[in-house]
Amino acid sequence: MSVGIPMFLAVSAILFTIGLIGVLLRRSPLTILLSLEIMLNSVNLTLVAFSRQVGGSDGQVFALVVMGIAAAEVVVGLGLVVAMTRRSMVLDTDELRTLNG
Amino acid sequence: MIKAPDVNWLAIAPMMTLMIGAFVLLLLASFIRGRDRGLGTVVGLVALLASAGFAINLWSEPATTTMAGALQIDQLTQVVTVLIAGCGILTLFVSFGWNRMRENGAEFVALLLLIAAGMDLIAASNSFVTLFVALELFSLSLYVLCAFDGKSKASLESGFKYLVLGTIGSMVLVYGAAFLYGATGSFGFEAINTALSKAGSGDALVILGTVLVLIGLAFKIGVMPFHMWVADVYEGAPTSVTGFMSAATKIAAFVALARVLLDALPAMRDTWAPALVIIAVVTMILGNISALVQTNLKRMLAYASVGAAGFGLIAIIVGGAAGTRGLIFYLAAYAPMAIGAFAVISLHERDHKGIATLDSIRGWGFQRPVAAVSMIVFLLGFAGFPLTVGFIGKFVVLGSAVEGNYTWLGVVAVVASVISLGYLLRIILAMFDRGAKSGVMMAAAPGMGSLNLAIVLCLALVLVGGILPGLGLDWAADAAKSLAAGR
Amino acid sequence: MTELVWITLALPLVGVALLAIFGNKLPARGAGLLASLIMLAAFGAATVALILLASKPEDQRQVTETAWTWLSAGDFRVGFDIWFDQLTALMLMVVTGVGFLIHVFSIGYMKGDSQERRFFAYMNMFVFSMLVLVVSGNLVQLLIGWGLVGLSSYLLIGFWHHKTSAVKAAKKAFIMNAIGDVGLAVGIFLIFVDLGTVSYSGVFASANTLSETQASIACLLLLVGALAKSAQIPLHTWLPDAMEGPTPVSALIHAATMVTAGVYLIARMNPLFFYAPKVLDLIVIIGVVGLLMAGAIAIVQTDIKRIIAFSTMSQIAYMFVGVGLSAYWAGIFHLFTHAFFKALLFMGAGLVIHALNGEQDTRNMGGLRKLMPKTYFCFIIGGLALTGIFPFSGGFSKDAILGAGLHVDSTIGWIAYVGGLLGALMTGIYTFRLIFLVFHRRMSPYAEKVAPPLIKHHGEGPSSMLWPVYILALGAAFLGLLQIPGVTHVMSSWLEPISPYGMVEATAGQEWLTTLIGSVVGVIGIIIAAHLYLRENDAPERIRLGRGRLIAHALERRCYWDNLYEWMFERPTQWAASFLNRDVDATAFRWLPTDGVGTITAFFGRSVVVMQNGIVRSYALVFAVGIAGFLLYLLVRGT
């Protein structure tokens, strides 16, 4: 069966939601970063799907760019997690709330 | 043979200078340990001044696009470059004496330069791709900068929170861009605009895309209900960084919003304008009300910043030549007040060796009269008192609102200003509370000089801008013409 | 030439800045010297500017310059404009010249006060404010100067802020001035709405497009401002209380400069007032009533400064009569001479107060003639000038006003003429009552105890206090010669061009007639005063307790104005405030702790902030809800 573009869009929407729910429900910083990655990739999927529909390769190129940036993001995120570990901070975002109000 | 794209090197010289400066510093970082602070600051100043210099040089050039249409260099770009350079220079002065600078100064400055480059690129963006890359360039560097004080848990926490929430925002933005791409076939602003004006604006994809893009950018600006990160991040980040954030990210994010909404999506006005109106009203009122109940000064000003962002939205809602001129001038006016206020808080933190709260500043004004008086001017500028540049900024925005038949928005803004006086005056009164003269004035520490210099510079900018705004208004008007809606 | 005006304007501002920043490092005398030197320099610049202006041909004596535009929105353009013409030049001379003399006087008077530096900073600030007001070329700048002057007055009246009476007086002055400010501001708005401009040149050029009603309402509102600033009925009650401030303050602000700002305003806006003749008539009436009432009240006052204060109110009423009759030059001429002789009298009073170690009640004075001959001499000159006896200055200026009334020959004119002459009679009475009570008769026990040792020690006063007084005395005596009817007409010809529609000026014959009658009436007043007060005499007391009982009571209560305002405003406001506090706030919002509105706002603030619990994912949740909300909103609006 020919998988139409709307199917891709639906899948990526579901992925985006899953990622978002992941951020909402998970407490470990690593898992949150993971969920963010899922969201990122769902967007990539959308881009590629639209690129297919529109023709041309703009969307795919953008998806590549997003992947690159996602990588950079992960570096920063993990770096922060490592720094937090070094400061003996509990890796539980629910406990990470000295800044509030 | 692959044909290399045509690059107008002169046009992108400002950004290139900053990036080269950043790379130089990063390369040198390991070699200059121990002399970080001085060398780093010098290189940073040179880079920022050079970028501003290039921008001023380019002022009279006609607008061009370069990098195969990815960038558009026009007067708005130049104005933003100069403004960001100014914010950067002031921040360098503010952070000069900071102890972390001595250890990692080169990296701090390098990050700052990258952030500046990213912001300049935002102002030069002509397509969603460029916008996203530039946005992420500045955001990622900023996440690191917020977490820069590795010794402070609060700093790390703020960096992490900013990262998580900021990424969500960016993702929403790209998602929206994807939908727009799907509907119009391009990422470029002009192309999108052409496609939308031809095809009409009723398509579900387009509307969805518009709203998502709007939400994504609203995250970055920090307006309600997407403001949750602002207070925590501003509070946890090192104070000099907070000042820079308050001023520069506002400029960058607003320019991004302006470019997107006014260059790419003016056809969708009926969709995004009502949404912005709701956001603006809620932000202005609730932002200032939230500030009322704060005791931590950085948090208080963070919420004030949120309220100010709401006010800036009015200018975008109004649009047109008057609105965009008002927006640019307002952003430029806001910068010295914000950086100055946070600089004073930084000074107080150094004196007090602790967190700045309403209680800690009781009576502090008498020990540091110059700083305290400057703070009064900055705070009154936030409220919009005449003789400060804040008044002129608010005046032009409100004026454009009245001209654009959005008078009632102006009324809401004035009400919000009145509410803001509730906490602004409280700070002023606390500073000069005679009943509580705290401790002995700390001896001048190294770097105090540059901090005081920064405060005085900001003070001068605020007052001069308040009394002689003519030139600034003209420049803002010129820059505004670069936006499609400003012509 | 405008550079000189800029310099004159900037110097006091520089003075304030220097005193504010470096004041603590200056020795005490230094502050006074610095402030006075600045005033001298400003006076010099003003003089040169005047000379330069005078050297221009008569029809070119109106120099305007815009420094920069501060705000412009649509038609509304406000900038820092300078309007330098004959009137401005004259006012500059008065403010800086008399200001300089008073600054020098203050060096001696305020010596020993712990807050000397603050005093001189405020004084310079006041001069700056007054200059801004006077050189302004547009109404908004005028309003700014107007407000600054009010602020400076507040600071200076309440200078001794540990004295509750002084603080109350300062507040009263400020509030009444604020009422005037509102009137002025609304008037300016109206003018902008009607004429589309706030600059003087614009307003003057287009004033003829106004209907009489429009012009009248605008002028009426401007008048409200003028009445408050110049302490005329009905906004006059603050002036006697303002005497709580140091005497140099009374001399400078409440005699020579600030209180004359109202007269200046009307004279300056004369092209506008030309189109509101009924308002001009009203001004004359208010003036006449004022000068009579104030003169009468002055007769029964016992505090030396308050006698002079009511005298000031009365004399300014004369100025109002002058401008109300469209004899603008005469009103300004009287402003000019009044600055000299009134400041002279205040400073003389200051010398007396100084010699009596702070005593201000005339009942504790008397017989000081032998001990303070120089002061006495100056008082006599000032008194004669005030009463308007030929050939002293006050006479020429006052009679110029009365002569105008005669010349106009209408009902209003006659009211002015007769009222003015009656006022002159009263002026003679209260002025010389003051002189006789202080310098003649027997010394009071208090004076006998305190004065001789002080005077033997210090003389009548340090030279820094005496020679400004002498200079003022010279002015009070001889400045009238500028405008001898039929002989010299320096004043009228100098000021003539500021009114495009012409001014009223009496003929030489009418002038001399008025001068004659005026002097005679004044002398009669002096004789009455002498009869009642020169020797120990129980006649005044008998009148006060006997036939004149009712009038005396009314006058001593200052004609019940304070009581009226207390009933009309103070009591209702206090009642409303305590009602709201007690009954509404406490009961209606009983379920909220303490104060109502504040708590509600804080409640909202806390409810918003409660969401900021510090946990990242809950923030993300709010974001998600926000996203969902907007998407929902989309659906509802229909795609």
Side-chain angles (χ1 to χ4, degrees), chain B residues 161 165 207 219 232 270 274 289 303 466-469, chain C residues 68 70-71 601 605 608 612 614 619 623 631 633-634 637:
Chain B
K161 281 185 179 167
L165 299 169
I207 294 183
F219 270 107
D232 290 4
D270 293 329
I289 289 187
Y303 279 111
I467 302 179
L468 296 167
Chain C
W68 73 80
W70 183 48
L71 278 182
T601 323
V608 170
Q612 296 262 163
Y619 295 176
F623 289 166
L631 290 177
Y633 153 81
L634 263 189
R637 270 184 91 238

PDB file of all heavy atoms in Angstrom, chain B residues 161 165 207 219 232 270 274 289 303 466-469, chain C residues 68 70-71 601 605 608 612 614 619 623 631 633-634 637:
ATOM      1  N   LYS B 161      17.257  24.086  33.022  1.00  0.00           N
ATOM      2  CA  LYS B 161      15.848  24.400  32.775  1.00  0.00           C
ATOM      3  C   LYS B 161      15.696  25.157  31.457  1.00  0.00           C
ATOM      4  O   LYS B 161      14.807  24.885  30.656  1.00  0.00           O
ATOM      5  CB  LYS B 161      15.297  25.257  33.910  1.00  0.00           C
ATOM      6  CG  LYS B 161      14.951  24.474  35.135  1.00  0.00           C
ATOM      7  CD  LYS B 161      14.306  25.391  36.165  1.00  0.00           C
ATOM      8  CE  LYS B 161      13.940  24.593  37.401  1.00  0.00           C
ATOM      9  NZ  LYS B 161      13.595  25.444  38.524  1.00  0.00           N
ATOM     10  N   LEU B 165      13.380  23.716  28.381  1.00  0.00           N
ATOM     11  CA  LEU B 165      12.215  24.473  27.934  1.00  0.00           C
ATOM     12  C   LEU B 165      12.481  25.188  26.619  1.00  0.00           C
ATOM     13  O   LEU B 165      11.618  25.265  25.745  1.00  0.00           O
ATOM     14  CB  LEU B 165      11.806  25.460  29.032  1.00  0.00           C
ATOM     15  CG  LEU B 165      11.417  24.743  30.319  1.00  0.00           C
ATOM     16  CD1 LEU B 165      11.278  25.724  31.475  1.00  0.00           C
ATOM     17  CD2 LEU B 165      10.113  24.001  30.129  1.00  0.00           C
ATOM     18  N   ILE B 207      -2.551  27.902   8.823  1.00  0.00           N
ATOM     19  CA  ILE B 207      -2.929  28.451  10.125  1.00  0.00           C
ATOM     20  C   ILE B 207      -2.209  27.721  11.244  1.00  0.00           C
ATOM     21  O   ILE B 207      -1.671  28.335  12.178  1.00  0.00           O
ATOM     22  CB  ILE B 207      -4.449  28.365  10.302  1.00  0.00           C
ATOM     23  CG1 ILE B 207      -5.118  29.273   9.284  1.00  0.00           C
ATOM     24  CG2 ILE B 207      -4.841  28.749  11.717  1.00  0.00           C
ATOM     25  CD1 ILE B 207      -6.611  29.330   9.397  1.00  0.00           C
ATOM     26  N   PHE B 219       7.837  31.577  23.197  1.00  0.00           N
ATOM     27  CA  PHE B 219       8.713  30.955  24.189  1.00  0.00           C
ATOM     28  C   PHE B 219       9.968  31.782  24.375  1.00  0.00           C
ATOM     29  O   PHE B 219      10.402  32.067  25.467  1.00  0.00           O
ATOM     30  CB  PHE B 219       9.214  29.583  23.666  1.00  0.00           C
ATOM     31  CG  PHE B 219       8.356  28.437  24.010  1.00  0.00           C
ATOM     32  CD1 PHE B 219       7.587  27.828  23.038  1.00  0.00           C
ATOM     33  CD2 PHE B 219       8.343  27.924  25.293  1.00  0.00           C
ATOM     34  CE1 PHE B 219       6.798  26.740  23.353  1.00  0.00           C
ATOM     35  CE2 PHE B 219       7.557  26.826  25.603  1.00  0.00           C
ATOM     36  CZ  PHE B 219       6.783  26.237  24.629  1.00  0.00           C
ATOM     37  N   ASP B 232      12.971  31.655  36.778  1.00  0.00           N
ATOM     38  CA  ASP B 232      14.002  30.767  37.312  1.00  0.00           C
ATOM     39  C   ASP B 232      15.343  30.999  36.647  1.00  0.00           C
ATOM     40  O   ASP B 232      16.383  31.058  37.304  1.00  0.00           O
ATOM     41  CB  ASP B 232      13.583  29.308  37.087  1.00  0.00           C
ATOM     42  CG  ASP B 232      12.414  28.923  37.963  1.00  0.00           C
ATOM     43  OD1 ASP B 232      11.894  29.820  38.669  1.00  0.00           O
ATOM     44  OD2 ASP B 232      12.012  27.762  37.956  1.00  0.00           O
ATOM     45  N   ASP B 270      -4.851  38.194  10.374  1.00  0.00           N
ATOM     46  CA  ASP B 270      -6.082  37.937  11.109  1.00  0.00           C
ATOM     47  C   ASP B 270      -5.966  36.757  12.052  1.00  0.00           C
ATOM     48  O   ASP B 270      -6.770  36.609  12.949  1.00  0.00           O
ATOM     49  CB  ASP B 270      -7.228  37.668  10.120  1.00  0.00           C
ATOM     50  CG  ASP B 270      -7.550  38.918   9.351  1.00  0.00           C
ATOM     51  OD1 ASP B 270      -7.366  40.002   9.926  1.00  0.00           O
ATOM     52  OD2 ASP B 270      -7.975  38.810   8.189  1.00  0.00           O
ATOM     53  N   PRO B 274      -5.050  38.646  16.743  1.00  0.00           N
ATOM     54  CA  PRO B 274      -5.876  38.453  17.940  1.00  0.00           C
ATOM     55  C   PRO B 274      -5.172  37.629  19.010  1.00  0.00           C
ATOM     56  O   PRO B 274      -5.297  37.914  20.197  1.00  0.00           O
ATOM     57  CB  PRO B 274      -7.100  37.696  17.413  1.00  0.00           C
ATOM     58  CG  PRO B 274      -7.131  37.967  15.972  1.00  0.00           C
ATOM     59  CD  PRO B 274      -5.722  38.128  15.535  1.00  0.00           C
ATOM     60  N   ILE B 289       1.865  41.908  38.085  1.00  0.00           N
ATOM     61  CA  ILE B 289       1.294  41.498  39.375  1.00  0.00           C
ATOM     62  C   ILE B 289       2.184  40.458  40.035  1.00  0.00           C
ATOM     63  O   ILE B 289       2.383  40.464  41.249  1.00  0.00           O
ATOM     64  CB  ILE B 289      -0.128  40.958  39.169  1.00  0.00           C
ATOM     65  CG1 ILE B 289      -1.062  42.111  38.812  1.00  0.00           C
ATOM     66  CG2 ILE B 289      -0.617  40.281  40.419  1.00  0.00           C
ATOM     67  CD1 ILE B 289      -2.517  41.711  38.747  1.00  0.00           C
ATOM     68  N   TYR B 303      10.290  39.206  36.333  1.00  0.00           N
ATOM     69  CA  TYR B 303       8.865  39.359  36.021  1.00  0.00           C
ATOM     70  C   TYR B 303       8.592  40.709  35.384  1.00  0.00           C
ATOM     71  O   TYR B 303       7.739  40.841  34.507  1.00  0.00           O
ATOM     72  CB  TYR B 303       8.014  39.181  37.277  1.00  0.00           C
ATOM     73  CG  TYR B 303       7.771  37.734  37.615  1.00  0.00           C
ATOM     74  CD1 TYR B 303       8.346  37.155  38.744  1.00  0.00           C
ATOM     75  CD2 TYR B 303       6.966  36.944  36.805  1.00  0.00           C
ATOM     76  CE1 TYR B 303       8.121  35.830  39.053  1.00  0.00           C
ATOM     77  CE2 TYR B 303       6.744  35.608  37.111  1.00  0.00           C
ATOM     78  CZ  TYR B 303       7.316  35.054  38.240  1.00  0.00           C
ATOM     79  OH  TYR B 303       7.093  33.751  38.533  1.00  0.00           O
ATOM     80  N   GLY B 466      16.591  60.041  27.042  1.00  0.00           N
ATOM     81  CA  GLY B 466      15.326  60.588  27.474  1.00  0.00           C
ATOM     82  C   GLY B 466      15.163  62.047  27.122  1.00  0.00           C
ATOM     83  O   GLY B 466      14.064  62.545  26.953  1.00  0.00           O
ATOM     84  N   ILE B 467      16.289  62.752  27.023  1.00  0.00           N
ATOM     85  CA  ILE B 467      16.199  64.181  26.762  1.00  0.00           C
ATOM     86  C   ILE B 467      16.380  64.501  25.284  1.00  0.00           C
ATOM     87  O   ILE B 467      15.775  65.429  24.771  1.00  0.00           O
ATOM     88  CB  ILE B 467      17.262  64.925  27.605  1.00  0.00           C
ATOM     89  CG1 ILE B 467      17.026  64.620  29.074  1.00  0.00           C
ATOM     90  CG2 ILE B 467      17.188  66.397  27.366  1.00  0.00           C
ATOM     91  CD1 ILE B 467      18.017  65.265  29.973  1.00  0.00           C
ATOM     92  N   LEU B 468      17.212  63.734  24.613  1.00  0.00           N
ATOM     93  CA  LEU B 468      17.480  64.022  23.208  1.00  0.00           C
ATOM     94  C   LEU B 468      17.214  62.792  22.357  1.00  0.00           C
ATOM     95  O   LEU B 468      18.133  62.223  21.798  1.00  0.00           O
ATOM     96  CB  LEU B 468      18.959  64.407  23.030  1.00  0.00           C
ATOM     97  CG  LEU B 468      19.430  65.677  23.707  1.00  0.00           C
ATOM     98  CD1 LEU B 468      20.946  65.731  23.710  1.00  0.00           C
ATOM     99  CD2 LEU B 468      18.907  66.878  22.956  1.00  0.00           C
ATOM    100  N   PRO B 469      15.970  62.377  22.263  1.00  0.00           N
ATOM    101  CA  PRO B 469      15.710  61.115  21.574  1.00  0.00           C
ATOM    102  C   PRO B 469      15.703  61.232  20.065  1.00  0.00           C
ATOM    103  O   PRO B 469      15.586  60.232  19.379  1.00  0.00           O
ATOM    104  CB  PRO B 469      14.318  60.747  22.075  1.00  0.00           C
ATOM    105  CG  PRO B 469      13.661  62.058  22.279  1.00  0.00           C
ATOM    106  CD  PRO B 469      14.722  63.014  22.716  1.00  0.00           C
TER     107      PRO B 469
ATOM    108  N   TRP C  68      16.125  71.668  20.845  1.00  0.00           N
ATOM    109  CA  TRP C  68      15.889  70.371  20.233  1.00  0.00           C
ATOM    110  C   TRP C  68      14.423  70.006  20.413  1.00  0.00           C
ATOM    111  O   TRP C  68      13.726  70.569  21.229  1.00  0.00           O
ATOM    112  CB  TRP C  68      16.785  69.304  20.853  1.00  0.00           C
ATOM    113  CG  TRP C  68      16.387  68.909  22.223  1.00  0.00           C
ATOM    114  CD1 TRP C  68      15.395  68.053  22.588  1.00  0.00           C
ATOM    115  CD2 TRP C  68      16.971  69.357  23.446  1.00  0.00           C
ATOM    116  NE1 TRP C  68      15.321  67.950  23.954  1.00  0.00           N
ATOM    117  CE2 TRP C  68      16.282  68.735  24.500  1.00  0.00           C
ATOM    118  CE3 TRP C  68      18.011  70.226  23.753  1.00  0.00           C
ATOM    119  CZ2 TRP C  68      16.599  68.948  25.823  1.00  0.00           C
ATOM    120  CZ3 TRP C  68      18.329  70.442  25.076  1.00  0.00           C
ATOM    121  CH2 TRP C  68      17.631  69.798  26.090  1.00  0.00           C
ATOM    122  N   TRP C  70      11.885  67.424  21.713  1.00  0.00           N
ATOM    123  CA  TRP C  70      11.897  66.305  22.638  1.00  0.00           C
ATOM    124  C   TRP C  70      10.917  65.226  22.190  1.00  0.00           C
ATOM    125  O   TRP C  70      11.246  64.081  22.066  1.00  0.00           O
ATOM    126  CB  TRP C  70      11.540  66.823  24.030  1.00  0.00           C
ATOM    127  CG  TRP C  70      11.588  65.810  25.082  1.00  0.00           C
ATOM    128  CD1 TRP C  70      12.589  64.926  25.318  1.00  0.00           C
ATOM    129  CD2 TRP C  70      10.605  65.557  26.064  1.00  0.00           C
ATOM    130  NE1 TRP C  70      12.289  64.154  26.403  1.00  0.00           N
ATOM    131  CE2 TRP C  70      11.078  64.521  26.881  1.00  0.00           C
ATOM    132  CE3 TRP C  70       9.355  66.126  26.354  1.00  0.00           C
ATOM    133  CZ2 TRP C  70      10.368  64.040  27.961  1.00  0.00           C
ATOM    134  CZ3 TRP C  70       8.657  65.631  27.430  1.00  0.00           C
ATOM    135  CH2 TRP C  70       9.156  64.600  28.211  1.00  0.00           C
ATOM    136  N   LEU C  71       9.708  65.651  21.931  1.00  0.00           N
ATOM    137  CA  LEU C  71       8.686  64.695  21.537  1.00  0.00           C
ATOM    138  C   LEU C  71       7.944  65.225  20.345  1.00  0.00           C
ATOM    139  O   LEU C  71       7.607  66.396  20.300  1.00  0.00           O
ATOM    140  CB  LEU C  71       7.635  64.563  22.639  1.00  0.00           C
ATOM    141  CG  LEU C  71       7.891  63.667  23.827  1.00  0.00           C
ATOM    142  CD1 LEU C  71       6.666  63.719  24.679  1.00  0.00           C
ATOM    143  CD2 LEU C  71       8.149  62.271  23.376  1.00  0.00           C
ATOM    144  N   THR C 601      -4.656  42.247  44.987  1.00  0.00           N
ATOM    145  CA  THR C 601      -3.637  42.195  43.939  1.00  0.00           C
ATOM    146  C   THR C 601      -2.565  41.186  44.292  1.00  0.00           C
ATOM    147  O   THR C 601      -2.154  40.377  43.455  1.00  0.00           O
ATOM    148  CB  THR C 601      -2.988  43.576  43.759  1.00  0.00           C
ATOM    149  OG1 THR C 601      -3.976  44.564  43.933  1.00  0.00           O
ATOM    150  CG2 THR C 601      -2.380  43.698  42.396  1.00  0.00           C
ATOM    151  N   GLY C 605      -1.298  37.859  42.395  1.00  0.00           N
ATOM    152  CA  GLY C 605       0.118  37.627  42.118  1.00  0.00           C
ATOM    153  C   GLY C 605       0.566  36.278  42.642  1.00  0.00           C
ATOM    154  O   GLY C 605       1.215  35.503  41.940  1.00  0.00           O
ATOM    155  N   VAL C 608      -0.723  33.373  40.592  1.00  0.00           N
ATOM    156  CA  VAL C 608       0.012  33.150  39.349  1.00  0.00           C
ATOM    157  C   VAL C 608       1.351  32.506  39.659  1.00  0.00           C
ATOM    158  O   VAL C 608       1.784  31.567  39.008  1.00  0.00           O
ATOM    159  CB  VAL C 608       0.242  34.488  38.615  1.00  0.00           C
ATOM    160  CG1 VAL C 608       1.199  34.300  37.470  1.00  0.00           C
ATOM    161  CG2 VAL C 608      -1.075  35.029  38.118  1.00  0.00           C
ATOM    162  N   GLN C 612       4.802  28.470  39.713  1.00  0.00           N
ATOM    163  CA  GLN C 612       6.249  28.355  39.549  1.00  0.00           C
ATOM    164  C   GLN C 612       6.822  27.546  40.697  1.00  0.00           C
ATOM    165  O   GLN C 612       7.436  28.079  41.606  1.00  0.00           O
ATOM    166  CB  GLN C 612       6.887  29.746  39.581  1.00  0.00           C
ATOM    167  CG  GLN C 612       6.489  30.661  38.475  1.00  0.00           C
ATOM    168  CD  GLN C 612       7.495  30.697  37.367  1.00  0.00           C
ATOM    169  OE1 GLN C 612       7.177  31.133  36.293  1.00  0.00           O
ATOM    170  NE2 GLN C 612       8.673  30.224  37.628  1.00  0.00           N
ATOM    171  N   GLY C 614       9.126  25.381  40.487  1.00  0.00           N
ATOM    172  CA  GLY C 614      10.528  25.047  40.345  1.00  0.00           C
ATOM    173  C   GLY C 614      10.773  23.747  39.616  1.00  0.00           C
ATOM    174  O   GLY C 614      11.899  23.396  39.312  1.00  0.00           O
ATOM    175  N   TYR C 619       6.517  23.161  34.420  1.00  0.00           N
ATOM    176  CA  TYR C 619       6.585  24.273  33.492  1.00  0.00           C
ATOM    177  C   TYR C 619       6.238  23.777  32.102  1.00  0.00           C
ATOM    178  O   TYR C 619       5.475  24.402  31.370  1.00  0.00           O
ATOM    179  CB  TYR C 619       7.997  24.869  33.449  1.00  0.00           C
ATOM    180  CG  TYR C 619       8.468  25.519  34.722  1.00  0.00           C
ATOM    181  CD1 TYR C 619       9.751  26.011  34.808  1.00  0.00           C
ATOM    182  CD2 TYR C 619       7.646  25.641  35.830  1.00  0.00           C
ATOM    183  CE1 TYR C 619      10.216  26.612  35.951  1.00  0.00           C
ATOM    184  CE2 TYR C 619       8.100  26.236  36.983  1.00  0.00           C
ATOM    185  CZ  TYR C 619       9.388  26.721  37.040  1.00  0.00           C
ATOM    186  OH  TYR C 619       9.834  27.303  38.181  1.00  0.00           O
ATOM    187  N   PHE C 623       3.351  24.880  29.369  1.00  0.00           N
ATOM    188  CA  PHE C 623       3.581  25.147  27.951  1.00  0.00           C
ATOM    189  C   PHE C 623       2.654  24.309  27.099  1.00  0.00           C
ATOM    190  O   PHE C 623       2.029  24.791  26.163  1.00  0.00           O
ATOM    191  CB  PHE C 623       5.023  24.800  27.571  1.00  0.00           C
ATOM    192  CG  PHE C 623       6.042  25.734  28.128  1.00  0.00           C
ATOM    193  CD1 PHE C 623       7.369  25.403  28.126  1.00  0.00           C
ATOM    194  CD2 PHE C 623       5.664  26.946  28.673  1.00  0.00           C
ATOM    195  CE1 PHE C 623       8.313  26.263  28.652  1.00  0.00           C
ATOM    196  CE2 PHE C 623       6.594  27.805  29.207  1.00  0.00           C
ATOM    197  CZ  PHE C 623       7.931  27.454  29.189  1.00  0.00           C
ATOM    198  N   LEU C 631      -4.277  25.953  20.027  1.00  0.00           N
ATOM    199  CA  LEU C 631      -4.790  25.137  18.928  1.00  0.00           C
ATOM    200  C   LEU C 631      -6.298  25.029  19.016  1.00  0.00           C
ATOM    201  O   LEU C 631      -7.019  25.102  18.018  1.00  0.00           O
ATOM    202  CB  LEU C 631      -4.143  23.757  18.970  1.00  0.00           C
ATOM    203  CG  LEU C 631      -2.654  23.754  18.590  1.00  0.00           C
ATOM    204  CD1 LEU C 631      -2.066  22.366  18.734  1.00  0.00           C
ATOM    205  CD2 LEU C 631      -2.487  24.247  17.161  1.00  0.00           C
ATOM    206  N   TYR C 633      -8.227  27.216  20.374  1.00  0.00           N
ATOM    207  CA  TYR C 633      -8.760  28.521  19.991  1.00  0.00           C
ATOM    208  C   TYR C 633      -8.880  28.625  18.482  1.00  0.00           C
ATOM    209  O   TYR C 633      -9.841  29.163  17.951  1.00  0.00           O
ATOM    210  CB  TYR C 633      -7.817  29.590  20.567  1.00  0.00           C
ATOM    211  CG  TYR C 633      -7.776  30.904  19.834  1.00  0.00           C
ATOM    212  CD1 TYR C 633      -8.747  31.866  20.046  1.00  0.00           C
ATOM    213  CD2 TYR C 633      -6.743  31.192  18.955  1.00  0.00           C
ATOM    214  CE1 TYR C 633      -8.690  33.083  19.405  1.00  0.00           C
ATOM    215  CE2 TYR C 633      -6.690  32.413  18.308  1.00  0.00           C
ATOM    216  CZ  TYR C 633      -7.660  33.349  18.545  1.00  0.00           C
ATOM    217  OH  TYR C 633      -7.602  34.557  17.900  1.00  0.00           O
ATOM    218  N   LEU C 634      -7.890  28.035  17.808  1.00  0.00           N
ATOM    219  CA  LEU C 634      -7.941  27.991  16.353  1.00  0.00           C
ATOM    220  C   LEU C 634      -9.179  27.269  15.852  1.00  0.00           C
ATOM    221  O   LEU C 634      -9.900  27.742  14.982  1.00  0.00           O
ATOM    222  CB  LEU C 634      -6.731  27.221  15.836  1.00  0.00           C
ATOM    223  CG  LEU C 634      -5.526  28.006  15.393  1.00  0.00           C
ATOM    224  CD1 LEU C 634      -4.576  27.045  14.735  1.00  0.00           C
ATOM    225  CD2 LEU C 634      -5.951  29.092  14.429  1.00  0.00           C
ATOM    226  N   ARG C 637     -12.336  29.168  16.372  1.00  0.00           N
ATOM    227  CA  ARG C 637     -12.520  30.289  15.448  1.00  0.00           C
ATOM    228  C   ARG C 637     -12.898  29.822  14.064  1.00  0.00           C
ATOM    229  O   ARG C 637     -13.352  30.595  13.244  1.00  0.00           O
ATOM    230  CB  ARG C 637     -11.216  31.090  15.357  1.00  0.00           C
ATOM    231  CG  ARG C 637     -11.140  32.194  16.386  1.00  0.00           C
ATOM    232  CD  ARG C 637      -9.887  33.006  16.186  1.00  0.00           C
ATOM    233  NE  ARG C 637     -10.132  34.125  15.291  1.00  0.00           N
ATOM    234  CZ  ARG C 637      -9.474  34.333  14.157  1.00  0.00           C
ATOM    235  NH1 ARG C 637      -8.539  33.518  13.769  1.00  0.00           N
ATOM    236  NH2 ARG C 637      -9.733  35.381  13.410  1.00  0.00           N
TER     237      ARG C 637
END
